[in-house]
Amino acid sequence: MERSCWKQILVLVLVFICTYAEASSPRHMEDFIRAVRQVEDEDPESDPVSVLRSLRRAAGLNDAFIQNFLGGADSGGPEVTPDLSALIRRAVHHTVTAGAAEEGVVLTPDGTTVALTPLLLGIEAGFLSKPNRPVRGLYQLTLAKDLDLDLKHGSPQNQLLGPDGCWDNIAHPQVFTLWDSPALLTTAQINGGMDGVVLGMAVSDRSRRPVKLSDLLREYYCHQLGTGGLDVAPRLISRRRRDNFRELVQVPVLSRQVVRAVELQRRLTGRSTMEAKEKKQLMALVREGMKEFVHKYMVCPPIIPRCMWGAKPYKGTPTNLSLPLSFMFIHHTYIPGQPCLTLQQCSEDMRSMQRFHQDDRGWDDIGYSFVAGSDGSIYEGRGWHRQGAHTLGHNSVGYGVSFIGDYTSRLPSQHSMGLVRDQLASCAVSGGRLKANFTLQGHRQVVDTSCPGDALYREITSWEHFGE
């Protein structure tokens, strides 16, 4: 009896230890940066390349494809304790479970989810670059290496890239679940790949190389915006991910590197060289994938989904829009009256507006289609397909987009206005949701915000009609 009791206690202790270890895995980018700092502290004199090799060794990222560009990770770098090594492996090793949970990803302060593997490989490639030469293997290691030729041939899908997903808890994230079946690359992998390219290119400039990897990651992901928002923020921060990536990457070059990555994978695994027909099929697939990639991740702005800002469910039965639409109506919230500069504050403002619209106004949901924060992101309201409640008499013919803040006598940041005027509008047109000759119109709200000196209204009416 006593032995049985001890067995039960031992089982409970083991369960507790395993549960604690899993719960303590880094799920915030800040948590992972602290783990990197622990590795650096094992050998304070180690350089970033040595630390990256230690991380790669701990994570098991040492296959033939990676070694072809980065060399082996079997030796060199700080020695990592078994416990820390296990934690790093869980944090970095990318996979999607049968239940659609994506692992090897972390939540960043800007509200996006990033896969760590392509991020780390891209940075290491940048550090290993030669002066006055392109960074060897940068695209293959970040955005092209996971393309599996056999996965797609003979089984075409409508979606080649994505999807995104939702965390179980934003404050204490543990599980990230995709909202659809994974395609070639998930959105988290693409975010990590874009960051890997941006940071890899940055550190390839020897004059800008940081002393510590943890400092590079902290400066990129954890920069706190001041009152000037992104108008006065540094260039190399994650909130500018898509802007920086657009400036660095030429799509034809990226397409060629994708094909080369597939060819290299075949060669390294001993498979035969692609025949002409097979290569033609691959190139056609890549062209389609690049169209989707450009639209989703280079034209469209970062959009924070409803699940990330804590939206309540839609009440009743939504009315679907008949696309494409002819108008985009621009508002400001008036209340909340101050610009929001963080995911937490913007999310709180979104929930506040939704409560007001649902509980006080009696509407089915927050009225706007989308809302622009001053943190560099667009927040999903009713979205692309549901009719909003934003412009009396015109809800069925246009999207309603609002800036968080009172802009009767001042303007939103230039970055926020460009996010709506250029990126969101372009995204809607290229996605077939707005007509190419749609009208972008400042709407003077009927309640509370009608003001002859409305600065935002004057600014919007001075914008050229997009696409005409």
Side-chain angles (χ1 to χ4, degrees):
M1 183 70 181
E2 185 176 347
R3 181 176 296 178
S4 175
C5 180
W6 275 109
K7 284 184 177 179
Q8 292 178 10
I9 293 173
L10 181 59
V11 169
L12 288 174
V13 169
L14 289 173
V15 168
F16 173 79
I17 291 173
C18 292
T19 302
Y20 176 79
E22 183 63 30
S24 63
S25 297
R27 304 296 183 182
H28 273 299
M29 178 58 80
E30 296 98 320
D31 297 329
F32 180 70
I33 293 172
R34 281 192 287 271
V36 172
R37 191 59 189 240
Q38 283 184 261
V39 175
E40 292 171 336
D41 289 344
E42 295 292 331
D43 180 4
E45 301 301 319
S46 59
D47 60 22
V49 173
S50 298
V51 173
L52 284 160
R53 284 183 175 166
S54 293
L55 293 172
R56 183 151 57 94
R57 187 166 61 248
L61 301 177
N62 206 26
D63 60 37
F65 186 91
I66 294 172
Q67 288 191 39
N68 182 76
F69 297 106
L70 303 180
D74 295 332
S75 61
E79 290 298 324
V80 182
T81 64
D83 289 345
L84 183 56
S85 182
L87 183 146
I88 290 169
R89 184 174 182 83
R90 286 195 301 271
V92 176
H93 180 66
H94 185 270
T95 187
V96 178
T97 69
E102 187 173 11
E103 299 177 350
V105 299
V106 294
L107 175 62
T108 68
D110 65 23
T112 54
T113 300
V114 169
L116 291 171
T117 293
L119 166 67
L120 296 174
L121 295 178
I123 295 174
E124 187 172 350
F127 274 114
L128 295 177
S129 65
K130 304 296 183 182
N132 303 319
R133 293 183 185 177
V135 182
R136 183 171 176 268
L138 185 61
Y139 294 147
Q140 291 96 324
L141 292 166
T142 54
L143 291 168
K145 75 180 184 64
D146 293 313
L147 179 63
D148 188 331
L149 181 64
D150 296 329
L151 180 65
K152 288 297 169 183
H153 279 183
S155 57
Q157 294 183 359
N158 293 328
Q159 179 175 276
L160 296 173
L161 301 170
D164 208 337
C166 297
W167 286 96
D168 56 336
N169 186 297
I170 302 303
H172 304 286
Q174 288 299 310
V175 180
F176 183 71
T177 305
L178 299 175
W179 56 51
D180 202 352
S181 300
L184 292 177
L185 293 171
T186 66
T187 293
Q189 287 177 285
I190 291 172
N191 287 335
M194 288 193 289
D195 287 345
V197 169
V198 171
L199 290 176
M201 289 295 293
V203 300
S204 69
D205 181 351
R206 293 174 180 271
S207 65
R208 297 173 60 185
R209 290 185 172 181
V211 176
K212 296 289 185 182
L213 174 63
S214 59
D215 291 340
L216 173 70
L217 295 174
R218 185 174 293 106
E219 290 170 7
Y220 184 74
Y221 287 107
C222 303
H223 177 82
Q224 295 184 353
L225 296 176
T227 54
L230 280 167
D231 285 357
V232 296
R235 189 67 189 171
L236 195 65
I237 58 175
S238 64
R239 296 177 191 275
R240 298 187 186 274
R241 171 186 296 113
R242 298 192 182 198
D243 297 336
N244 288 327
F245 187 81
R246 276 194 299 269
E247 291 182 4
L248 287 173
V249 174
Q250 297 178 358
V251 174
V253 174
L254 179 56
S255 299
R256 289 196 297 272
Q257 298 294 351
V258 169
V259 175
R260 290 176 183 173
V262 175
E263 292 176 321
L264 176 60
Q265 287 274 35
R266 291 178 69 95
R267 189 168 71 250
L268 292 174
T269 54
R271 288 183 287 176
S272 60
T273 304
M274 279 188 289
E275 297 179 357
K277 180 180 179 182
E278 195 175 14
K279 190 168 184 177
K280 185 176 180 180
Q281 289 176 322
L282 172 62
M283 294 177 70
L285 173 66
V286 170
R287 281 194 295 269
E288 287 303 308
M290 281 300 116
K291 289 178 185 177
E292 186 179 336
F293 181 87
V294 168
H295 168 69
K296 279 188 174 183
Y297 304 105
M298 297 181 74
V299 174
C300 293
I303 297 177
I304 304 296
R306 293 169 61 90
C307 61
M308 289 292 292
W309 59 263
K312 291 182 179 179
Y314 190 98
K315 293 181 178 179
T317 303
T319 299
N320 288 331
L321 292 164
S322 180
L323 305 179
L325 304 182
S326 300
F327 295 91
M328 181 176 279
F329 300 103
I330 308 299
H331 304 248
H332 62 137
T333 63
Y334 187 63
I335 298 175
Q338 296 301 314
C340 62
L341 297 169
T342 66
L343 171 69
Q344 291 74 20
Q345 185 59 56
C346 293
S347 297
E348 186 177 321
D349 289 345
M350 292 294 291
R351 293 191 296 270
S352 173
M353 285 186 286
Q354 188 186 41
R355 284 195 301 271
F356 175 67
H357 289 172
Q358 286 185 323
D359 299 343
D360 293 22
R361 292 282 178 88
W363 297 348
D364 292 334
D365 199 356
I366 187 172
Y368 305 117
S369 308
F370 296 96
V371 178
S374 294
D375 62 335
S377 294
I378 298 290
Y379 287 75
E380 180 187 22
R382 298 205 188 186
W384 295 117
H385 300 289
R386 291 178 176 178
Q387 181 174 305
H390 46 78
T391 312
L392 186 63
H394 297 81
N395 293 319
S396 64
V397 296
Y399 291 116
V401 182
S402 188
F403 291 91
I404 291 179
D406 174 10
Y407 297 109
T408 53
S409 59
R410 58 188 174 125
L411 289 173
S413 68
Q414 289 298 314
H415 188 278
S416 294
M417 288 193 292
L419 205 64
V420 172
R421 180 188 59 222
D422 304 324
Q423 296 179 43
L424 187 64
S426 297
C427 179
V429 170
S430 64
R433 296 160 179 141
L434 272 176
K435 295 179 180 178
N437 60 344
F438 80 95
T439 299
L440 186 65
Q441 183 170 322
H443 175 64
R444 201 179 284 280
Q445 281 98 323
V446 177
V447 180
D448 294 332
T449 59
S450 179
C451 173
D454 190 317
L456 181 60
Y457 181 82
R458 294 198 310 272
E459 176 70 15
I460 299 301
T461 54
S462 72
W463 289 351
E464 294 183 3
H465 289 174
F466 184 89
E468 293 187 354

